[in-house]
Amino acid sequence: MATEEIKELPKSWAMVGGDGPQSYTQNSSYQKGVVDASKEKVTEGIKDKLDFKSLGFDSSNDTFRIADFGCSVGPNTFFVVENIIEAVGQKYHAQFQKSPPLELEFQVFFNDVTTNDFNTLFKTFHSNRKYFATGLPGTFYGRLLPKSTLHFAYSSYCLQWLSKVPNEVVDSKSPAWNKGSIQCDGLKKEVTKAYSAQFQSDMNTFLNARAQEIVGGGLMVIIMAGLPNGIFMSQAGVGMYYDLLGSCLVDMAKLGEISEEKLDSFNLPLYYSSSTEIEEIIKVNGNFSIEIMDSLSHQIWQTSKKSNIDIFVSGGRAVFQGLVEEHFGSEVVEKTFEHFAKKLVDNFSIFDGAAHEHIDHFILLKRHFN
């Protein structure tokens, strides 16, 4: 499949910066739950699949290089990096029990879009960190590093974000025009086909770029939101959540607070894929072997109704405020999320009645040797 690297993403793709009450830093507990749920799998994957000798660490190589693609503002990325370094260090000393060739050092690249709040990220570094840190601004849908730089790559809760909304779904003359919805809900096959094609293209671009940057035998962990095989977004609680957000915008259009034209051209750049779909993309790409493909289980939402509503609203705003602001204007952001909070209170029972829930894919890949 031919792919073209993406040089830049819209500014609105970045999460809300800073460390205030509406920031991603303060409102990413779900994503932290995913990190916690994946810790054991990451550790076991490194223990079982990482081979230092094949990576050249039995000679003069003593710097192990890691990248977090889509690190955002923190602090979740720091927990991830510390977990990886701990597991890699344990494997290193286990593999060279008698005489480790050299003391292992770590370099970590923190990547996100150019509008990410790297200032807040770096201000919250631990003073006693055990690695050399480097900021790496730019979209991961393209090359960011020289060839064979990395030994371990990581990306969590990023690759369900597309590089762009498919052109067809905002074209009123296209059979894939997505009027009446802000997401790929699975109810219209033309819309689903357009989103799926964009996802396949983006994933292939991502895999090709990482294949250049990761050494042969290097590992990559991908964690991303998805759906069980054969399930539509409209059948899952997360799809209902996005529908509620969309209904807020519909109400505002009816009141004349936003234009209907603006509403019809607004779609979330998100695609929740099945494990079957992802597996096929990776196999066709051909640069990596699938070492582990599983789903994560965590109980992040098993709290009180009020806590859930607070998390749903504040977490959603931290992620989507930039999209709403860029498309509709800053003047409607506050009203949109106030309306969203009220809708969630009035309709929270629908999530209990959801037939299905989304899943979090956990994928461990190993770079083929050329």
Side-chain angles (χ1 to χ4, degrees), residues 89-352:
Q90 290 173 352
K91 177 60 186 278
Y92 183 72
H93 288 287
Q95 191 164 356
F96 297 108
Q97 279 183 345
K98 294 182 179 178
S99 57
L102 293 164
E103 184 63 33
L104 196 62
E105 293 188 321
F106 294 91
Q107 182 178 17
V108 181
F109 298 91
F110 293 92
N111 159 255
D112 213 302
V113 294
T114 56
T115 49
N116 183 59
D117 185 1
F118 284 100
N119 286 335
T120 293
L121 177 72
F122 293 134
K123 280 192 292 188
T124 51
F125 266 142
H126 295 168
S127 58
N128 61 344
R129 65 183 185 274
K130 300 176 181 178
Y131 53 88
F132 298 94
T134 304
L136 191 64
T139 171
F140 49 58
Y141 289 125
R143 281 281 301 279
L144 290 163
L145 291 164
K147 289 183 178 181
S148 301
T149 297
L150 300 174
H151 304 102
F152 195 98
Y154 179 92
S155 182
S156 180
Y157 252 67
C158 299
L159 287 169
Q160 69 266 21
W161 281 76
L162 304 176
S163 66
K164 65 175 184 177
V165 173
N167 294 331
E168 305 95 303
V169 304
V170 293
D171 181 356
S172 61
K173 298 177 182 178
S174 168
W177 187 30
N178 201 27
K179 181 178 173 61
S181 179
I182 67 167
Q183 63 166 324
C184 179
D185 56 22
L187 297 178
K188 191 173 182 181
K189 66 180 182 179
E190 293 88 354
V191 173
T192 303
K193 183 178 179 181
Y195 267 92
S196 177
Q198 186 64 52
F199 175 74
Q200 290 179 45
S201 175
D202 286 344
M203 275 295 294
N204 201 50
T205 300
F206 177 85
L207 292 171
N208 284 338
R210 303 294 82 77
Q212 294 291 309
E213 297 164 349
I214 300 172
V215 301
L219 300 181
M220 177 161 62
V221 166
I222 295 173
I223 301 169
M224 59 193 302
L227 293 170
N229 290 326
I231 301 303
F232 297 153
M233 280 287 277
S234 59
Q235 299 172 293
V238 68
M240 297 175 183
Y241 174 82
Y242 295 143
D243 275 343
L244 273 183
L245 177 59
S247 72
C248 295
L249 297 171
V250 170
D251 292 345
M252 293 171 71
K254 289 177 179 177
L255 293 171
E257 294 169 339
I258 59 175
S259 73
E260 188 169 341
E261 181 183 4
K262 281 282 189 182
L263 174 63
D264 289 341
S265 61
F266 181 72
N267 286 265
L268 298 176
L270 297 173
Y271 182 74
Y272 284 50
S273 58
S274 69
S275 58
T276 299
E277 190 171 8
I278 298 171
E279 183 177 8
E280 178 65 17
I281 292 169
I282 295 169
K283 287 182 176 179
V284 169
N285 177 269
N287 286 306
F288 298 88
S289 62
I290 300 174
E291 302 295 320
I292 300 174
M293 192 159 193
D294 204 350
S295 59
L296 300 175
S297 175
H298 55 98
Q299 304 299 316
I300 188 66
W301 296 123
Q302 303 305 311
T303 54
S304 69
K305 175 180 176 180
K306 183 182 185 304
S307 295
N308 270 339
I309 291 172
D310 290 343
I311 292 171
F312 270 54
V313 175
S314 58
R317 179 166 184 167
V319 172
F320 297 119
Q321 176 175 311
L323 292 175
V324 172
E325 184 173 341
E326 181 184 61
H327 194 82
F328 297 103
S330 58
E331 65 276 6
V332 305
V333 168
E334 200 66 40
K335 186 167 288 188
T336 300
F337 288 100
E338 285 177 1
H339 194 22
F340 189 37
K342 185 177 186 306
K343 284 239 179 188
L344 280 169
V345 171
D346 294 342
N347 298 276
F348 200 79
S349 60
I350 66 172
F351 298 107
D352 296 328

Side-chain angles (χ1 to χ4, degrees), residues 17-71:
D19 57 2
Q22 293 169 353
S23 67
Y24 184 81
T25 300
Q26 298 295 330
N27 295 288
S28 53
S29 58
Y30 182 89
Q31 292 85 347
K32 175 58 164 58
V34 172
V35 170
D36 292 341
S38 65
K39 180 179 179 180
E40 185 175 343
K41 290 184 184 294
V42 172
T43 300
E44 288 299 312
I46 290 170
K47 177 183 176 183
D48 296 339
K49 304 297 182 180
L50 190 67
D51 180 11
F52 280 97
K53 291 184 178 179
S54 71
L55 296 177
F57 279 84
D58 55 348
S59 55
S60 61
N61 195 351
D62 64 343
T63 302
F64 192 93
R65 296 182 178 87
I66 301 164
D68 182 0
F69 292 99
C71 64

